[in-house]
Amino acid sequence: MAVCARLCGVGPARGCRRRGAQREQRREGPADSEPDTDAEEERIEGARLGPGEAPAPAPAPLSLLELPPELLVQIFGSLPGTDLPSLARVCSTFRRILRTDTIWRRRCREEYGVCENLRKLEITGVSCRDVYAKLLHRYRHILGLWQPDIGPYGGLLNVVIVKKDEFSTKCNQTDHHRMSGGRQEEFRTWLREEWGRTLEDIFHEHMQELILMKFIYTSQYDNCLTYRRIYLPPSNADDLLKPGLFKGTYGSHGLEIVMLSFHGKKAKGTKITGDPNIPAGQQTVEIDLAHPIQLPDIENLRNFNELSRIVLEVQEQVRREQQEEEEGQDEEEGRFRQGDSQQVEQPAQRDDAGAEGTEAAGAAAAQESAPTSQPFVLPVGVISRNEDYPRTCRMCFYGTGLIAGHGFTSPERTPGIFILFDDDRFGFIWLELKSFSLYSRIKVSFQNAEAPSREAFDEMLKNIQSMTT
């Protein structure tokens, strides 16, 4: 009885109740009756059968139809929405229960992140089932983040569902569209957002040209027809900070959106929006997490030459390590061609593993030994868009930044230093340009933007970079 009740999961089946009644009858008989076991019951049942009679079939387990409707609603609500239509064809009871809006409201929320507008739709008589089947699931391929093709500037488009038979595209690069005051009002508003000042306050003619060029390109945003899918970067527990989208300052080019992602011992900042020098899709900064940098004291940090000396020493160290690695690979390939591969293979593996372990241990030791925060100030002569940057930082790493001429001519990677301020802000000092970029996290919850796999994210990065190479 107990075993059968556990298998049923809810209570005793009909067979259990029948056997229970039989046991009650046996209890009324002699006190020395046989123990109440399933094996003994089967023997007794078999003894009652006549010659040639087949044993009765085993009792069927309790059906889902006997569960309370409230429990079925909870069970069905936890299943993928794409499986529910098949479930509705099982029987009329399931079909009736699957009309419950609670089930579809949960699927809309968990699969597509839609919850705010559902109540409004329900008031107008639109069921959550229709929202899921006829809107969210049907148009699921266009939801999420997209990068429009606007020359070198790129952009970031977030496609969201508003109501039935309609969707909207929200521009996350600028928060305005057409204004009642016309183009002049649009330009003044855009200029305040990008620079916090008026055009009359910017005296440099070249800077004015760049600003006007960017406004003319980006104001044509609504006319763009080509979009490329953008995925948010996957994250790991051991990442230096949570990857994602950040707004960065780029001198005369204003604010730009950069995606920070982690790739083993490297971190990359890829431009989602760009400029005529470094267009959207290019990797603007690369951080070498295996080579931390210890900043000098605050007084020496003010001296640009001192900071430059420290960074260039690390650059030389990185160059030597790369050269030694390349020479080791060439030597190994030469020995392999001579038929000595079996003797070379194992030492090479030990060397690589040792080098990897040393770098990982060095980075881990640097993180453990680094203070939770240390004073920070920009060296004298380094240009910053404004002076409103953090005065303390957590850690610093060697990195390289991409610079190029107008039209992405003669691109090259130059040394710099990555500064981690906190979980939502980091900076980069471009040594050659004597310039500082401050990046702040974009704190927006984007739905339907997660990469299906690490491989899909890496492929996406290659695709958006190839469009501007």
Side-chain angles (χ1 to χ4, degrees), residues 151-154 271 273-283 407-408 468-469:
Y153 296 101
K271 281 193 174 187
T273 64
D275 53 67
N277 291 73
I278 307 297
Q282 291 298 315
Q283 184 181 311
F408 196 43
T468 57
T469 300

Side-chain angles (χ1 to χ4, degrees), residues 266 288 291 311-327 359 398 400 415:
K266 303 284 186 181
D288 190 340
H291 291 86
V311 174
L312 293 178
E313 285 181 355
V314 178
Q315 181 192 32
E316 179 61 23
Q317 178 186 350
V318 172
R319 188 193 64 79
R320 289 196 305 267
E321 292 175 358
Q322 292 176 345
Q323 184 177 359
E324 292 173 359
E325 182 178 354
E326 292 173 359
E327 292 175 353
E359 290 178 348
Y398 170 77
T400 58

Side-chain angles (χ1 to χ4, degrees), residues 144-178:
L145 297 179
W146 298 83
Q147 184 187 55
D149 187 7
I150 314 179
Y153 296 101
L156 185 62
L157 196 74
N158 186 24
V159 180
V160 296
I161 296 294
V162 176
K163 57 184 178 181
K164 184 181 179 183
D165 299 327
E166 179 180 331
F167 74 91
S168 70
T169 57
K170 180 181 178 182
C171 170
N172 288 286
Q173 182 183 10
T174 55
D175 294 328
H176 64 274
H177 294 280
R178 303 283 77 86

